[in-house]
Amino acid sequence: MKITNKLDLPAGLVKAVSTERHNEPGCISATTLLQGVKHIILTDRHWDELEDDVADRIWAIWGTAVHSLLEQEGENDFAEQVMSYPVGDITLTGRIDNYDMKKGIICDYKTASVNKVKFNNFSDWWYQGMIYAWLLRKNDFIVNKCRFITLLKDHSKIDAVRDHQYPQNPVFVYEFDVSFLKILQIEKFIKNKVREYVRCAALGDGDIPPCTPDERWDKATKYAVKKKGRKTAIRLLDRQAEAEEMAADLGKGHYVETRPGESTKCLSYCRCCGFCNYYQDCVKAVDEKIAV
Ligand code: SF4
């Protein structure tokens, strides 16, 4: 991957953000497995052609710095250990920030924005924690719980005072228990995803199915019922017909505004989008049409 430096930032910063391939040949990490299959394969195939700017990678340094400060081992725990286990011809790996052997607790350190907590958006961490739990169990360790210690990088004390729904501290703990049923559930997910990855790895770029709506962070199109002269919508609905009916019932001066959905990851967060036909044909083309 080429790292550009558009802001002419110091060499030390450029060095700190420079990155190697995340996966060895034949291996796939837990965090990689959570990406869309098309994203995984295109990123790997086009690694040497991909570009990223130092400024856009700055939060990655923050995450790395936090990890190196916190990776202390206690009497009963180990830190930054890589666990692995074969799934067919692929080796699944996971670097675990901290594992308490006595209590069977996996602990992972994260940096995140306040919105993640406000919208209770933790499904990616649930899957990551469960893959780690599966890897540990396969290596004969017990796992009872996963904990994600989250440093909220945009936390505001003023907003916390004003709003009781707002996270009250700059550290948030997301945690859940690990059960036998959850282990079976994640095993099924792992096997299906690896099978799909292997199947698609034999296809050309354009023949690999697009990442799923969840993996693309899709937002659905919404229909806002509005009134002339009022800034905010009266109601936001999923179906156009329902919105049209409501505007008609409310009478003169009411109308429907369409708020087009988008594939947020494809548009703003996918490094390999330049090599993705789904992005070129469906996301970029639609976005350009809306902008006109
Ligand atoms: S642009 Fe979207 S569909 Fe294509 S690889 Fe990236 S995330 Fe997946």
Side-chain angles (χ1 to χ4, degrees), residues 19 23 46 105 107 123 171 180 193 195 198 224 280:
T19 180
N23 297 293
H46 297 282
I105 297 178
C107 185
S123 75
V171 178
F180 179 64
K193 193 80 186 266
R195 196 176 304 123
V198 171
Q280 301 294 342

Side-chain angles (χ1 to χ4, degrees), residues 78 83-85 99 101 104 132-143:
F78 57 71
M83 290 283 139
S84 61
Y85 199 79
Y99 168 70
M101 286 177 273
Y132 289 164
W134 184 83
L135 283 168
L136 280 162
R137 288 247 181 137
K138 289 289 181 191
N139 284 278
D140 298 325
F141 292 98
I142 53 150
V143 185

Side-chain angles (χ1 to χ4, degrees), residues 36 38-40 42 209-212 215-216 263 265-267 270-274 276-280 283:
K38 194 170 182 93
H39 176 93
I40 301 170
L42 295 187
C211 303
T212 66
E215 291 161 348
R216 300 191 307 254
S263 294
K265 179 168 176 180
C266 308
L267 269 176
C270 179
R271 284 190 306 219
C272 63
C273 65
C276 175
N277 57 326
Y278 176 80
Y279 172 79
Q280 301 294 342
V283 180

Side-chain angles (χ1 to χ4, degrees), residues 76-77 99-106 142-147:
N76 296 312
D77 55 356
Y99 168 70
D100 183 325
M101 286 177 273
K102 210 167 177 184
K103 295 180 181 160
I105 297 178
I106 294 169
I142 53 150
V143 185
N144 297 316
K145 190 182 273 251
C146 290
R147 305 188 85 209

